[in-house]
């Protein structure tokens, strides 16, 4: 193309440019189209803004994290990260592009904003005060496994909740703990376990903050019950009290067709509390996830039930431990309803963070979308195939 000559796409009539723009659902793609030439920018200005952004999937590739965008056809977008964040372990995220990271795998936990690069320190210790000598304290190093927040971390009074393990005894059952942003140490923790074959195992599989009423942290158990810790969390008394919500056992096991339950997640949608159940394959050697079941909480007097939803009803559910979110396909994403999931199998491996890099393996291949549209709903592997990582599992980045 000679100097001063307009590119061929600049001659497209505005109606065609706008039709192209209507298919650009990602704000980054729309911004790139705006910059192609002046005629495109003028034509695209007449369109409505792109729909609300969706979470992006971070895959820990060999050269560093790559950010994949669902509205852009699960293609990658560039992101600039601080050097210390390139090989950090991710263990969750929060709205506003905040990401929970362990810079040194089992230590140096931080909360990083991917837009501003603001970094906030998180607790690395659990500090006990002696009952006999209150001035005497005992510090224990801990490792975050999952976390969430009550509000933006820069808000006054923001409280965090986490699932943690003790570095000295990583094989022991994990605990749940709370902290105020700015605290250098947890002041207490709770062990929530159940006895399985004579061995204690962590009973908590997911956590969620609900802003209904005064707000509360919800912890989902393997038995599909919920433990509720209501605000205010701080200042607490001598004993932190939780309210258990016990649910009637589901009677739809036949509908699972013998598939093993891999995981369970809590997510709020349309003012209701949902539980998303992830089911695996009966045959070994395949990628684990084969389908999902979605249930809505129903309560009658003193009884709680999980009622199975017949379909997703236009929902787009992004599930991840502590960071599950619900969006609406009607808000500008036609035909994109489904359950979007990532590979979080490493949650069930308490030793992975303590291994050397050569032996450390975070599975990263079981990512995708379950369409939720019968018959029959299928799992689509819409993200690139990815081998195991030696520094982090995948994670969602919440808009």
């Amino acid at each position: 193309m000679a100097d001063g000559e307009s590119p061929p796409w600049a001659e497209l009539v505005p109606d065609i440019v706008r039709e192209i723009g209507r298919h650009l659902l990602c704000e980054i793609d729309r911004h790139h189209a705006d910059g192609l030439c002046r005629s495109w920018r003028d034509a695209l200005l007449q369109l409505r803004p792109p729909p609300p952004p969706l979470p992006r999937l971070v895959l820990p590739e060999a050269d560093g994290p790559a950010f994949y965008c669902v509205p852009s056809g699960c293609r990658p977008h560039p992101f600039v990260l601080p050097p210390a964040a390139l090989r950090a372990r991710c263990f969750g995220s929060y709205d506003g592009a905040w990401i929970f990271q362990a810079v040194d795998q089992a230590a140096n936990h931080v909360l990083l904003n991917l837009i501003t690069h603001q970094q906030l320190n998180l607790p690395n210790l659990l500090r006990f005060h002696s009952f006999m000598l209150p001035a005497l304290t005992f510090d224990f190093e801990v490792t975050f496994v999952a976390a969430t927040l009550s509000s933006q971390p820069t808000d006054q009074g923001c409280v965090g909740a986490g699932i943690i393990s003790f570095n000295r005894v990583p094989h022991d059952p994990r605990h749940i703990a709370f902290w105020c942003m700015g605290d250098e140490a947890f002041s207490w923790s709770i062990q929530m376990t159940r006895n399985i074959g004579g061995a204690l195992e962590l009973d908590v599989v997911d956590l969620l903050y609900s802003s209904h009423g005064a707000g509360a942290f919800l912890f989902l158990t393997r038995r599909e019950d919920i433990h509720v810790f209501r605000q205010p969390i701080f200042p607490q008394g001598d004993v932190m009290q939780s309210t258990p919500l016990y649910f009637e056992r589901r009677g739809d096991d036949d509908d699972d067709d013998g598939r093993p339950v891999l995981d369970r997640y809590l997510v709020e949608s349309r003012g209701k509390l949902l539980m998303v159940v992830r089911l695996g394959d009966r045959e070994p050697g395949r990628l684990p996830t084969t389908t999902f079941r979605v249930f809505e909480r129903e309560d009658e007097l003193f009884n709680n039930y999980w009622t199975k939803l017949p379909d997703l009803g236009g929902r787009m559910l992004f599930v991840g431990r502590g960071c599950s979110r619900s969006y609406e396909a009607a808000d500008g994403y036609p035909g994109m309803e489904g359950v979007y999931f990532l590979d979080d199998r490493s949650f069930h491996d308490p030793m992975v963070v303590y291994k050397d890099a050569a032996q450390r393996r975070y599975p990263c291949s079981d990512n995708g979308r379950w369409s939720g549209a019968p018959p029959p709903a299928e799992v689509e592997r819409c993200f690139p195939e990815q081998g195991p990582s030696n520094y982090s599992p995948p994670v969602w980045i919440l808009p």
Side-chain angles (χ1 to χ4, degrees), residues 70-104:
V70 171
S72 190
C74 298
R75 293 192 298 268
H77 285 318
F79 245 95
V80 178
L81 292 178
L86 293 176
R87 310 290 292 185
R89 174 178 64 91
C90 300
F91 56 91
S93 58
Y94 192 73
D95 307 278
W98 291 97
I99 187 170
F100 292 99
Q101 290 192 318
V103 177
D104 299 317

Side-chain angles (χ1 to χ4, degrees), residues 21-56:
R22 291 188 184 96
H23 289 81
L24 300 178
L25 304 180
C26 169
E27 57 184 345
I28 296 177
D29 291 340
R30 183 77 70 85
H31 177 72
H32 288 165
D34 285 343
L36 286 175
C37 58
R38 182 171 181 176
S39 63
W40 277 55
R41 182 167 60 252
D42 292 341
L44 294 175
L45 282 174
Q46 301 177 38
L47 292 178
R48 294 179 178 178
L54 298 176
R56 294 188 174 96

Side-chain angles (χ1 to χ4, degrees), residues 341-361:
F341 59 95
L342 46 69
D343 198 329
D344 56 6
R345 285 175 283 175
S346 58
F347 175 82
H348 303 288
D349 181 359
M351 296 304 298
V352 64
V353 298
Y354 304 104
K355 295 178 180 178
D356 293 334
Q359 286 82 38
R360 195 185 304 130
R361 292 291 182 270

Side-chain angles (χ1 to χ4, degrees), residues 113-180:
N113 189 283
L114 296 179
I115 305 300
T116 65
H117 291 186
Q118 182 181 7
Q119 181 174 294
L120 305 174
N121 292 329
L122 300 176
N124 291 291
L125 303 169
L126 178 63
R127 180 164 294 155
F128 288 111
H129 289 267
S130 169
F131 289 107
M132 302 297 294
L133 300 171
L136 182 63
T137 60
F138 303 92
D139 288 347
F140 297 89
E141 294 181 344
V142 298
T143 297
F144 271 96
V145 181
T148 191
L149 301 173
S150 65
S151 64
Q152 286 294 308
T154 52
D155 290 349
Q156 186 176 3
C158 174
V159 175
I163 301 173
I164 63 172
S165 63
F166 289 85
N167 292 11
R168 291 182 180 179
V169 283
H171 283 294
D172 280 9
R174 294 163 176 167
H175 288 219
I176 65 171
F178 300 90
W179 79 96
C180 288

Side-chain angles (χ1 to χ4, degrees), residues 305-387:
Y305 303 88
W306 288 118
T307 302
K308 182 181 168 185
L309 296 182
D311 54 54
L312 293 175
R315 294 179 177 88
M316 304 171 67
L317 303 178
F318 288 74
V319 294
R321 227 169 299 277
C323 58
S324 298
R325 297 292 187 271
S326 176
Y327 301 86
E328 299 292 336
D331 286 342
Y333 296 105
M336 294 178 62
E337 77 168 17
V339 177
Y340 295 81
F341 59 95
L342 46 69
D343 198 329
D344 56 6
R345 285 175 283 175
S346 58
F347 175 82
H348 303 288
D349 181 359
M351 296 304 298
V352 64
V353 298
Y354 304 104
K355 295 178 180 178
D356 293 334
Q359 286 82 38
R360 195 185 304 130
R361 292 291 182 270
Y362 293 101
C364 297
S365 58
D366 195 17
N367 316 296
R369 168 182 173 256
W370 177 69
S371 65
E378 297 181 351
V379 166
E380 175 190 359
R381 304 293 172 178
C382 50
F383 298 101
E385 290 189 13
Q386 170 80 29

